[in-house]
Amino acid sequence: MRECPKCVEEAAIEPKYPEIEMAIDLDGPEGNAFYIVSMAKKSMVEIGVSSAEIKEFVKDAMSGDYDHVKHTIEKWVGVEWYHAEQRME
């Protein structure tokens, strides 16, 4: 699978809203791209992010494949990706 060049470049950048922290189980229903975007969007609303910025975030997140969604989330908020069986160990 080919990495999105823009995503690779931005991977090491501190998220725009690090005060938002999400933990997403990639194996469960939480791992669905639409769910991930909606949870990040909800968290942004809760801390008072402008609707224009949220719209920009959603447009960016939904403009690529699943990996692009994940990279966009990482660019905007703090997130931990995990698999449920890893957490149980």
Side-chain angles (χ1 to χ4, degrees):
M1 175 171 25
R2 219 172 85 215
E3 287 277 352
C4 163
K6 185 178 176 185
C7 296
V8 171
E9 179 182 310
E10 295 173 344
I13 296 173
E14 177 78 15
K16 189 168 190 169
Y17 297 103
E19 64 271 29
I20 298 174
E21 296 181 359
M22 299 172 52
I24 303 294
D25 175 4
L26 294 171
D27 295 327
E30 293 176 354
N32 175 286
F34 294 104
Y35 180 86
I36 297 167
V37 171
S38 71
M39 292 308 294
K41 180 180 169 182
K42 179 181 175 188
S43 296
M44 288 182 207
V45 168
E46 289 174 358
I47 67 163
V49 176
S50 74
S51 58
E53 265 196 300
I54 293 171
K55 186 175 180 178
E56 176 188 342
F57 158 74
V58 172
K59 183 178 178 181
D60 184 13
M62 301 310 286
S63 69
D65 62 10
Y66 185 75
D67 285 332
H68 181 77
V69 171
K70 288 173 48 183
H71 291 296
T72 303
I73 296 288
E74 292 168 352
K75 187 170 67 173
W76 285 78
V77 304
V79 65
E80 172 195 355
W81 308 109
Y82 70 93
H83 296 278
E85 64 273 359
Q86 291 173 335
R87 278 231 163 153
M88 293 180 179
E89 294 174 353

